[in-house]
Amino acid sequence: DQQVKQNSPSLSVQEGRISILNCDYTNSMFDYFLWYKKYPAEGPTFLISISSIKDKNEDGRFTVFLNKSAKHLSLHIVPSQPGDSAVYFCAASRGSNYKLTFGKGTLLTVNP
Amino acid sequence: DVKVTQSSRYLVKRTGEKVFLECVQDMDHENMFWYRQDPGLGLRLIYFSYDVKMKEKGDIPEGYSVSREKKERFSLILESASTNQTSMYLCASRPSAGTGENEQFFGPGTRLTVL
């Protein structure tokens, strides 16, 4: 049973445009969500997170939106840059639980 | 900056061999994790440890064991490697639960090939 779903395996956008990566979850007990970015042959790096008490969190070019009623979150990257090309993983956790549950990832390609 | 290091970037082993993957973190984190990453399957949790000598099974522990004798070191052991354990193995660490955020810090990964 996949509790965190990233339904788009890949996404291609032009440099300078907006990238929107989507993530859905099924477990209503999840209350903390994170996005990680992963380049080939490297470990994932933390990008941005959001608590369920918020519906938006911004950090520079990256914004995460959370819609709790729809159990949906999205990552917006504006403007997209070629260096943003990577696999993006959505992850979720319950309270102070140790575990993160990851989605399968979305490969973002930003074309110059 | 948190640093998580893994003993090997690339490893090739034969079926039936015992394999040790080592992970060390330098930020005094209580919690450590082992994941494997496979194409189309994302990151799947194998084992985690919330303190020295403590361990708990993750989602896919079969065929693996772990050891945490010191706080900074978490080892993943493949008792008898099989070809279906060919994968990218990722170690992560984080402070103890309840410290605020659930961000985990990842090492660079070990690409293991079992022939």
Side-chain angles (χ1 to χ4, degrees):
Chain A
D1 177 31
Q2 197 183 346
Q3 298 186 65
V4 177
K5 300 178 185 178
Q6 294 178 255
N7 292 319
S8 299
S10 63
L11 174 68
S12 183
V13 299
Q14 286 299 121
E15 181 178 6
R17 305 294 293 270
I18 184 171
S19 295
I20 300 176
L21 297 102
N22 293 303
C23 179
D24 297 292
Y25 61 97
T26 57
N27 189 339
S28 58
M29 300 297 289
F30 287 146
D31 59 4
Y32 197 83
F33 304 90
L34 306 89
W35 285 94
Y36 280 84
K37 172 179 170 179
K38 186 180 183 301
Y39 294 117
E42 293 185 15
T45 55
F46 171 73
L47 205 53
I48 192 168
S49 62
I50 188 166
S51 164
S52 60
I53 61 173
K54 296 184 177 181
D55 54 18
K56 178 182 173 182
N57 189 27
E58 285 183 85
D59 185 1
R61 297 187 296 115
F62 302 92
T63 302
V64 56
F65 295 92
L66 175 62
N67 182 332
K68 289 188 292 292
S69 60
K71 294 192 181 69
H72 176 83
L73 62 155
S74 60
L75 175 68
H76 293 212
I77 306 173
V78 185
S80 301
Q81 299 173 354
D84 296 329
S85 298
V87 176
Y88 289 78
F89 290 100
C90 171
S93 69
R94 285 173 47 180
S96 60
N97 188 289
Y98 310 99
K99 291 175 57 175
L100 292 179
T101 301
F102 284 85
K104 294 184 178 182
T106 297
L107 173 63
L108 173 66
T109 303
V110 180
N111 302 301
Chain B
D1 271 357
V2 175
K3 193 163 185 183
V4 180
T5 57
Q6 295 183 228
S7 51
S8 305
R9 295 300 301 273
Y10 299 93
L11 209 52
V12 179
K13 295 292 182 181
R14 297 216 171 265
T15 302
E17 280 193 77
K18 190 169 187 175
V19 181
F20 293 86
L21 302 182
E22 305 286 342
C23 175
V24 177
Q25 49 93 5
D26 65 358
M27 283 301 291
D28 204 35
H29 285 168
E30 283 77 12
N31 305 158
M32 296 187 74
F33 306 81
W34 275 106
Y35 296 88
R36 62 180 281 178
Q37 184 204 356
D38 300 288
L41 297 177
L43 275 70
R44 295 181 293 166
L45 181 64
I46 304 170
Y47 265 97
F48 66 102
S49 167
Y50 49 89
D51 207 342
V52 178
K53 296 192 185 295
M54 310 295 277
K55 60 185 179 184
E56 285 201 25
K57 293 180 180 179
D59 301 317
I60 51 165
E62 296 77 20
Y64 303 94
S65 62
V66 290
S67 173
R68 183 114 181 256
E69 295 297 319
K70 293 185 177 181
K71 190 175 187 179
E72 68 271 16
R73 188 179 298 269
F74 191 33
S75 303
L76 180 70
I77 303 155
L78 287 65
E79 295 289 342
S80 178
S82 63
T83 55
N84 63 12
Q85 293 178 309
T86 292
S87 186
M88 167 71 87
Y89 289 88
L90 293 159
C91 175
S93 74
R94 56 157 278 178
S96 61
T99 55
E101 300 184 353
N102 287 350
E103 176 188 347
Q104 293 181 14
F105 299 87
F106 283 84
T110 296
R111 170 68 66 185
L112 173 67
T113 301
V114 182
L115 302 176

